[in-house]
Amino acid sequence: MYITDEDNPRLPFLRDKTSKLTTSPGCYIMKDKMKKIIYIGKAKNLRNRVTSYFRKGQDHLPKVWKMVSHVYDYDFIVTDSEFEALVLECSLIKQYTPKYNILLKDDKGYSYIRVTNEDYPRLQAVLQKYDDGAEYIGPYTSSFAVKQAVIEANKVFMLPTCTRKFPQDFRKQRPCLNMHIKQCMGVCTGKFSKEEYNSIVRQAVDYIRNGSSDSVERLTEEMNKAAEELDFELAAKLRDRIQAIQKAAESQKIINDDIRDTDIIAIAQNGEMACASVIMYRGGRLFDKASYFLGEKDDSVKMREDFLMQYYSSKDSIPKDILLDEDITNGEIIEKFLRQKYDHAVNISTPKRGQFLRLTTLAKSNATEYLSIKVGRTSREITALEELAKALGLPKTPRYIECYDISNLASTNMVAGMVVFENGRPCKKYYKKFSIKTVAEQNDYACMQEVIERRFRNYFEKTDEGFSIMPDLILLDGGNGHVNAVEPVLERMGVTCPLFGLVKDSKHRTRAVATGGGEISLAKCRAAFNLVTAIQDEVHRVAITYQAQKHKKNAHRLEITKVKGIGDKKAAKLITEYKTKEALKKATAEELAKTAGVNIDTARELKEIIDEM
């Protein structure tokens, strides 16, 4: 979004003031008309950084545009180094909590693990403790950690999670799919006694409380004892359970003795909003999770750096390892700040493979889920847009996507369809259909150029609400040729929107994204691939449906013009008035005469032709 003097009349004054600003490191303090501090930032070069806010033609994110439009004046504090500026910025933000800096609010609560009071008890994650005779383990500060621990224990020990009651429902129904895929021991078969089942539940509780290593050690002792007593059936069951725990330990993310105290941080974005999640490991196990809604999103790197500084500036202690889902620029400076504040080494890194990458993926999933609730979108939709932005190298997550397709029958009935996807979902009220006007022979490139030019001419002339929004991404149903044909049109009209093509394989399925000079595969970005496939299928449906409708109307028009005295213009009047063949057939000769402006004899002949259509 571009800031103009109309948005903020103080911009000429601010530009003049900034032209005299020092090039030293420091902090800048933006203030509104009431002299209230609305934003605080740091800079390696104060003049360059502050100038970027007020420069003519500068394209800002919506959050920054909103802040700049309210700036009446600013102050600054010069420091000796960028590190000192970082420390000062953190202190000032903590003191003034400016409106446009990140303000952190988490989702804390207390949770328990409930062992139900039944003959065949279940493990459940609950938010409250009741006087119901059940056993409660807790309280825990993290509902997330509790849910994950219960899921993991139920899976490892193959405990039932269905709604059947035992022993009442023994052998009443066939075992469900969970038993067949070895996610449940199959209590419903009636093959497990109450004593045996309760022993397994106690092992699961021990696993939650003490971790996989202690559980394996205790079960190994029980297995050896059973073998000594020649109870080989029990020994075999314990052996299988030990193997299940060891196998789960390889991939599960709840209890891991190899992970020292670590925080894992990821940020999810959707349109102009963002959310951060922090997954905390302490003592080799998942200890807690906190999610923070960050409001309007900012630059990806800056947002992560700001979050790190504000999140850790108020903590009593922090772990030595911090993992991020994406790289940042000032990692070494932030490490230095945290090292001095907490008097121990701090390592900030971005894992690229292995178990630590799986942990950042877990944090990202939690941030996405939390954000999806806030913005009313599914986590899959948010993930798809983020993946697409990353794969295509877009400057921001595309909220508003337009896609175009050309459809024709040889050189007749040439049309185009335009579909709009907003936040990952079809927005049908903004769909458009185009009849090609300037291209006489079949030429998809020329047709696409005409459509794009007409679309953005309407945008600049503000003649139609459906064309009033500048898209974040334009997709064309076609390859590099389509992209190369349309790029000059956008350049000539001053439109700087990202442009890509959608390439299909021999079976007319989405294969890749065309850049104009090559292709980008989305094979490894499943959510993004599914989204662009849905967009391409939808735009093809719209275009081909409109083309079929036009073809049918033209076929009717050709039939009508066989009547002497009915030319193309009168045929067009009839088609426009009655729209469908059924409506034409219901019209009387008198009505046809009036609409077409012909005498009654011609109208009767016309009626005969229409009835035979």
Side-chain angles (χ1 to χ4, degrees), residues 526-540:
R526 180 52 51 184
F529 178 82
N530 290 339
L531 174 61
V532 297
T533 299
I535 293 174
Q536 190 171 28
D537 289 345
E538 178 69 351
V539 75
H540 181 70

Side-chain angles (χ1 to χ4, degrees), residues 301-350:
V301 171
K302 186 176 185 305
M303 187 161 48
R304 283 166 174 78
E305 292 178 350
D306 287 350
F307 178 79
L308 281 171
M309 292 300 296
Q310 288 191 243
Y311 179 73
Y312 288 114
S313 65
S314 59
K315 297 292 179 184
D316 294 328
S317 62
I318 65 170
K320 292 183 177 180
D321 290 310
I322 300 171
L323 306 182
L324 298 178
D325 61 327
E326 291 184 18
D327 293 322
I328 58 175
T329 304
N330 295 310
E332 292 183 5
I333 297 177
I334 296 174
E335 284 179 353
K336 181 180 177 181
F337 168 75
L338 297 177
R339 194 182 305 125
Q340 290 187 4
K341 180 176 176 62
Y342 294 100
D343 198 27
H344 66 70
V346 177
N347 177 51
I348 300 173
S349 61
T350 305

Side-chain angles (χ1 to χ4, degrees), residues 267-440:
I267 292 179
Q269 303 174 26
N270 178 259
E272 311 307 333
M273 298 184 180
C275 171
S277 273
V278 185
I279 304 292
M280 292 160 255
Y281 276 80
R282 301 292 185 268
R285 64 192 296 139
L286 195 153
F287 170 75
D288 201 356
K289 181 216 72 166
S291 292
Y292 299 88
F293 179 62
L294 305 183
E296 296 182 53
K297 85 175 187 68
D298 206 336
D299 171 76
S300 177
V301 171
K302 186 176 185 305
M303 187 161 48
R304 283 166 174 78
E305 292 178 350
D306 287 350
F307 178 79
L308 281 171
M309 292 300 296
Q310 288 191 243
Y311 179 73
Y312 288 114
S313 65
S314 59
K315 297 292 179 184
D316 294 328
S317 62
I318 65 170
K320 292 183 177 180
D321 290 310
I322 300 171
L323 306 182
L324 298 178
D325 61 327
E326 291 184 18
D327 293 322
I328 58 175
T329 304
N330 295 310
E332 292 183 5
I333 297 177
I334 296 174
E335 284 179 353
K336 181 180 177 181
F337 168 75
L338 297 177
R339 194 182 305 125
Q340 290 187 4
K341 180 176 176 62
Y342 294 100
D343 198 27
H344 66 70
V346 177
N347 177 51
I348 300 173
S349 61
T350 305
K352 304 300 182 183
R353 62 180 67 86
Q355 65 175 345
F356 293 115
L357 177 59
R358 291 197 294 270
L359 292 177
T360 58
T361 302
L362 176 67
K364 185 83 167 184
S365 297
N366 277 274
T368 302
E369 290 289 348
Y370 186 66
L371 183 59
S372 70
I373 296 171
K374 183 73 177 179
V375 300
R377 285 291 186 267
T378 67
S379 59
R380 184 178 300 177
E381 290 166 342
I382 293 174
T383 300
L385 292 170
E386 282 201 350
E387 284 187 358
L388 185 61
K390 194 170 184 180
L392 302 184
L394 302 180
K396 61 180 180 179
T397 307
R399 182 185 65 86
Y400 196 90
I401 301 173
E402 291 181 358
C403 186
Y404 298 83
D405 186 22
I406 304 296
S407 182
N408 58 63
L409 189 62
S411 293
T412 63
N413 304 318
M414 291 186 290
V415 301
M418 169 187 128
V419 300
V420 173
F421 274 60
E422 190 171 18
N423 279 331
R425 294 182 186 177
C427 189
K428 294 188 177 182
K429 70 177 181 178
Y430 291 139
Y431 282 18
K432 296 293 181 183
K433 300 170 186 175
F434 299 83
S435 291
I436 303 302
K437 298 178 179 179
T438 63
V439 183

Side-chain angles (χ1 to χ4, degrees), residues 4-57:
T4 67
D5 293 359
E6 292 180 1
D7 301 316
N8 186 346
R10 291 278 291 179
L11 284 181
F13 164 79
L14 294 169
R15 291 191 193 107
D16 182 64
K17 178 177 179 177
T18 306
S19 67
K20 305 178 183 71
L21 197 57
T22 176
T23 57
S24 301
C27 286
Y28 51 93
I29 304 162
M30 304 292 191
K31 300 178 181 180
D32 63 13
K33 201 169 185 178
M34 306 303 293
K35 297 186 179 181
K36 182 179 179 181
I37 296 174
I38 58 175
Y39 185 75
I40 295 171
K42 68 173 186 333
K44 186 177 182 179
N45 181 316
L46 276 170
R47 184 193 299 168
N48 288 350
R49 184 72 185 98
V50 178
T51 297
S52 69
Y53 289 107
F54 309 130
R55 186 184 295 123
K56 287 184 178 180

